[in-house]
Amino acid sequence: MKILGLFRHAKSDWHDPRARDFDRPLNERGRTGAAMMGRHIRDHGVAWNRVIASPAIRCAETIEIACQAAQRPIAINWDRRIYLASSATLADLLREQEGDPQAILMVGHNPGLEDLIFDLVPDDGSSPLRDVVEAKFPTAAFAVLELAIDRLSDLADRCGRLVHLTRPRDLDPELGPQRS
């Protein structure tokens, strides 16, 4: 069995209309959410053998703030292919990981991360948390999947079970959807 963690970047800043999408930083709410989720990911207790992340500014800031808050420096493998990738691209990236890590954490974007959950976790009622993801996999959400495979190269559709899902609002209601 393999463990796959998926961590969506935290809330980004849309105030500079000239900024390229890749260069958008986190806003204040995003920085707060990233720190809180970093502590939660640490407390969840999985020892991540490898962390791979999109180098987009909002992802880089998310994982760096999360690691600082968790007081756990982690070597991060930056991979531009994660930036706005499809589920198929993310799955291919996982299959080609050298050294076949037991537990891997991927930091990236939607819709790719959400679609990866839908592809890996069957819609058969065995993972009730899948319904929550169908409603929304918001910024800074963290999901953990158990994969019924021996090697990452064997990754295939419907090989996973969603065993954990936490959104920032689950830890602090103030970080839930903003009301107008």
Side-chain angles (χ1 to χ4, degrees), residues 142-160:
F142 168 64
V144 178
L145 289 77
E146 291 179 348
L147 306 174
I149 55 176
D150 293 323
R151 293 176 308 279
L152 283 171
S153 60
D154 296 332
L155 187 70
D157 286 354
R158 297 178 300 284
C159 74

Side-chain angles (χ1 to χ4, degrees), residues 6-14 21-22 24-27 29-31 33-35 37 41 52-64 66 78 82-84 106-113 137-142 168:
L6 300 174
F7 185 23
R8 185 175 173 202
H9 67 79
K11 186 73 72 184
S12 61
D13 190 350
W14 288 88
D21 180 73
F22 188 88
R24 281 190 291 117
L26 296 182
N27 64 19
R29 184 177 167 160
R31 287 188 287 279
M37 294 305 292
I41 292 168
I52 56 176
S54 163
I57 300 301
R58 59 192 180 273
C59 282
E61 288 183 352
T62 296
I63 192 63
E64 289 167 359
W78 304 104
I82 298 172
Y83 175 65
L84 304 181
M106 180 181 283
V107 185
H109 311 265
N110 258 2
L113 292 181
F137 191 64
T139 52
F142 168 64

Side-chain angles (χ1 to χ4, degrees), residues 10-144:
K11 186 73 72 184
S12 61
D13 190 350
W14 288 88
H15 285 100
D16 184 352
R18 297 166 299 163
R20 293 182 321 149
D21 180 73
F22 188 88
D23 297 326
R24 281 190 291 117
L26 296 182
N27 64 19
E28 189 57 39
R29 184 177 167 160
R31 287 188 287 279
T32 300
M36 183 180 309
M37 294 305 292
R39 290 185 293 273
H40 173 75
I41 292 168
R42 175 200 63 207
D43 294 345
H44 183 69
V46 173
W48 303 105
N49 305 111
R50 182 162 306 147
V51 177
I52 56 176
S54 163
I57 300 301
R58 59 192 180 273
C59 282
E61 288 183 352
T62 296
I63 192 63
E64 289 167 359
I65 290 169
C67 288
Q68 287 172 354
Q71 298 179 335
R72 293 240 172 108
I74 293 176
I76 300 163
N77 297 290
W78 304 104
D79 196 317
R80 191 169 178 103
R81 294 174 294 171
I82 298 172
Y83 175 65
L84 304 181
S86 68
S87 172
T89 299
L90 297 175
D92 286 344
L93 196 147
L94 289 166
R95 283 186 201 99
E96 67 187 42
Q97 291 299 302
E98 293 182 13
D100 204 31
Q102 181 65 32
I104 189 166
L105 177 64
M106 180 181 283
V107 185
H109 311 265
N110 258 2
L113 292 181
E114 184 175 294
D115 289 344
L116 186 61
I117 292 170
F118 297 147
D119 289 345
L120 296 178
V121 177
D123 188 13
D124 62 3
S126 62
S127 295
L129 291 172
R130 189 180 192 279
D131 294 339
V132 178
V133 175
E134 283 184 14
K136 187 170 185 184
F137 191 64
T139 52
F142 168 64
V144 178

